[in-house]
Amino acid sequence: MGGGKKKEVKKETGLGLSFKKDANFGEWYSEVVVRGEMIEYYDISGCYILRPWSMGIWEVMQVFFDAEIKKMKIKNCYFPLFVSSSVLEKEKDHIEGFAPEVAWVTKSGKSDLEIPIAIRPTSETVMYPYFSKWIRGHRDLPLKLNQWCNVVRWEFSNPTPFIRSREFLWQEGHTAFATKEEADEEVLQVLELYRRIYEEFLAIPVIKGKKSEMEKFAGGLYTTSVEAFIPNTGRGVQGATSHCLGQNFAKMFEINFENEKGEKGMVWQNSWAYSTRTIGVMVMVHGDDKGLVLPPKVASVQVVVVPVPFKTADTQGILDACAATVETLLEAGVRAEGDLRDNYSPGWKYSHWEMKGVPLRIEIGPKDLEKNQVRCVRRDNGSKQDITRDNLVEQVNVLLDNIQQSLFDAAKEKRDASVQVVKTWDEFKDALAQKKMILAPWCDEEEVEKDVKERTRGEMGAAKSLCSPLEQPELPEGTICFASGKPAKKWTYWGRSY
Ligand code: 87F
């Protein structure tokens, strides 16, 4: 096929992205989520349609996470979308900073509601009055609930599909225990599940850590998170959070219980969530100039089978071989689909499924039919390999596992290359200018973090602490804080963030 013909195909189909990931990251991202058929833009700013291609990824993670929390004896429930203002504002400390983001319903039809009703931005205040009612004695504990739902936060800073949208999907877990020890243990158990979602499913390396006092959830005792990094923008992104709320909400909502000895006590609570933001991080990390790149573990279609007929050859034989290949893979539990449409050329189909990020393409042409083989083409690196149809399933599974692992390895290599250890303010500023994720010794003082924010203010946004990794590198005696010169207490990651 000559170059002229290729051009023609491109013109007639309009395939291919107009923006390059490295040159115009923001535009590339907006384009790839739409052209990859994950997102459709909506006529309300900050709201997006999740098409089956992204919803399928959400559901794969949901199946995993839901089964894991059920093993932990957490039960699913559903609380209402609406919150009365008196309940929402009961815990003033925590709601104060968030108030501007709360959306309210003020009318029904043409008449004003007597009392406006808020739409949940999170469900602490929705749920905890009922925790108070349901928990009487130690036998009612622990109480461990989760809900899969949508929430609304009326953000004003630049909306980005999946990453910052005004409505999003999440799970929110809310649990209550008799002792702090039990709560502490669960915080880390859930954090480990979040790590597994990112690393094992989305093939994205994350850092488990603790948030600073400034960055923690103000209503809680301490916040842990998994933090990912987007090398192209040099921004950290909070992947999911697992909070120990301590007894703050128990105090406000009077969630008390009587222990074995008849003594009164207050419960210890946790709350934790991951959201559809996970999908955005995946797109940003793995996507390339041809479109989405989906890790096999989450892809709704892991293998697409494309017939490559040739005029003189046995077209029906090729189509039958494609159908049989799909059937064999489906029976073996591989999510396979055949693209047997006769109104698109093989080349068009290749670009189409590359745009959608399908991990593996199988092509079957006359030669393959003759040799009882299929041609496999990897989406992640474009490499081609012919495999015999006799052990198709085994080899496809090996390929899919390799793709999953390669994606993680490549992402980790890039992330690690973006991490810069610094000791001084000058090194910090240089590293920030080079879009690094910075690991620095810190005195852990709130005033100093405020000062870092102040001193890095600019059009790119200020730097802040991302987390202090749970796994701390050694901190030699006498190490000083990069920002204040006071004695350092811990290693902390810093950077710009989403
Ligand atoms: C926006 C408006 C009102 C975040 C908000 O992280 C309230 C809030 O409380 C708010 N944005 N938050 C913090 C959410 C904390 C917590 N909730 C349960 C989680 C995990 C799941």
Side-chain angles (χ1 to χ4, degrees), residues 91-100:
E91 216 287 278
K92 289 196 187 64
D93 285 352
H94 113 264
I95 208 67
E96 209 171 46
F98 297 125

Side-chain angles (χ1 to χ4, degrees), residues 88 94-95 97-102 120-124 128 152-155 170-174 194 217-218 223 238 241-243 245 249 271-274:
L88 184 72
H94 113 264
I95 208 67
F98 297 125
E101 289 179 11
V102 177
R120 68 175 162 228
T122 179
S123 300
E124 276 81 357
Y128 298 165
V152 170
R153 295 179 183 174
W154 213 254
E155 306 257 6
W170 74 356
Q171 60 64 222
E172 52 179 320
H174 294 267
Y194 292 151
F217 172 35
T223 295
Q238 179 175 289
T241 50
S242 180
H243 313 278
L245 302 178
F249 285 93
S271 75
W272 28 270
Y274 79 92

Side-chain angles (χ1 to χ4, degrees), residues 66 75 89 106 143 148 188 245 249 259 264 275 290 297 302 325 381 426:
D66 202 63
K75 295 205 160 68
E89 282 151 17
T106 58
L143 177 60
W148 293 95
L188 293 183
L245 302 178
F249 285 93
N259 70 15
K264 281 264 181 198
S275 73
K290 290 181 170 173
K297 287 260 293 204
Q302 298 171 309
T325 300
N381 61 12
D426 283 346

Side-chain angles (χ1 to χ4, degrees), residues 104-393:
W104 294 85
V105 178
T106 58
K107 279 177 186 273
S108 83
K110 288 204 165 128
S111 37
D112 287 344
L113 292 187
E114 218 161 286
I115 318 163
I117 289 165
I119 303 172
R120 68 175 162 228
T122 179
S123 300
E124 276 81 357
T125 60
V126 177
M127 293 182 168
Y128 298 165
Y130 301 89
F131 276 47
S132 169
K133 178 173 184 205
W134 296 334
I135 297 169
R136 291 274 99 109
H138 63 275
R139 287 178 201 85
D140 303 319
L141 292 173
L143 177 60
K144 306 204 268 189
L145 300 181
N146 177 69
Q147 69 178 5
W148 293 95
C149 65
N150 58 338
V151 287
V152 170
R153 295 179 183 174
W154 213 254
E155 306 257 6
F156 291 94
S157 49
N158 63 94
T160 307
F162 299 118
I163 299 291
R164 187 180 295 107
S165 54
R166 285 176 163 177
E167 179 185 1
F168 56 86
L169 304 182
W170 74 356
Q171 60 64 222
E172 52 179 320
H174 294 267
T175 55
F177 301 89
T179 64
K180 177 163 187 294
E181 288 65 38
E182 291 168 273
D184 285 336
E185 189 188 348
E186 188 203 61
V187 164
L188 293 183
Q189 261 180 316
V190 170
L191 194 68
E192 171 63 9
L193 293 180
Y194 292 151
R195 182 197 68 77
R196 291 181 62 193
I197 285 183
Y198 274 93
E199 298 201 334
E200 295 177 10
F201 284 78
L202 301 171
I204 293 167
V206 288
I207 293 156
K208 285 196 209 175
K210 202 174 158 193
K211 289 284 187 182
S212 68
E213 280 304 300
M214 225 173 138
E215 292 299 325
K216 77 169 194 188
F217 172 35
L221 184 60
Y222 65 89
T223 295
T224 66
S225 68
V226 291
E227 299 285 327
F229 188 73
I230 311 298
N232 286 78
T233 56
R235 285 179 192 273
V237 53
Q238 179 175 289
T241 50
S242 180
H243 313 278
C244 179
L245 302 178
Q247 296 181 307
N248 298 348
F249 285 93
K251 236 172 265 164
M252 300 304 309
F253 290 90
E254 300 177 73
I255 314 177
N256 306 312
F257 72 103
E258 202 165 279
N259 70 15
E260 294 93 327
K261 297 177 214 145
E263 301 157 343
K264 281 264 181 198
M266 257 184 306
V267 298
W268 293 86
Q269 290 177 276
N270 292 340
S271 75
W272 28 270
Y274 79 92
S275 73
T276 34
R277 169 177 274 198
T278 46
I279 300 171
V281 178
M282 180 205 76
V283 171
M284 288 184 167
V285 168
H286 298 307
D288 65 18
D289 289 344
K290 290 181 170 173
L292 299 170
V293 177
L294 305 183
K297 287 260 293 204
V298 293
S300 308
V301 177
Q302 298 171 309
V303 180
V304 63
V305 181
V306 179
V308 191
F310 192 71
K311 28 185 160 164
T312 59
D314 172 14
T315 299
Q316 194 53 48
I318 288 172
L319 292 176
D320 291 346
C322 286
T325 300
V326 170
E327 203 48 44
T328 305
L329 291 173
L330 284 175
E331 271 167 23
V334 177
R335 295 190 289 272
E337 194 175 301
D339 187 349
L340 308 188
R341 292 177 289 181
D342 62 7
N343 57 334
Y344 293 106
S345 68
W348 186 93
K349 290 176 185 175
Y350 298 169
S351 309
H352 174 73
W353 294 106
E354 280 169 1
M355 183 70 77
K356 288 176 68 95
V358 170
L360 196 65
R361 175 171 85 233
I362 287 183
E363 309 169 3
I364 304 180
K367 277 250 166 57
D368 304 304
L369 197 58
E370 209 174 279
K371 293 188 183 162
N372 195 41
Q373 66 181 27
V374 301
R375 164 153 285 199
C376 297
V377 185
R378 284 172 61 151
R379 174 65 182 88
D380 62 325
N381 61 12
S383 80
K384 299 181 165 82
Q385 186 185 333
D386 294 329
I387 63 177
T388 155
R389 287 174 67 187
D390 296 331
N391 50 7
L392 175 83
V393 169

Side-chain angles (χ1 to χ4, degrees), residues 11-27:
K11 206 157 88 195
E12 98 193 10
T13 59
L15 279 179
L17 293 169
S18 43
F19 292 102
K20 297 243 181 288
K21 188 180 186 184
D22 289 337
N24 295 87
F25 184 78
E27 292 84 351

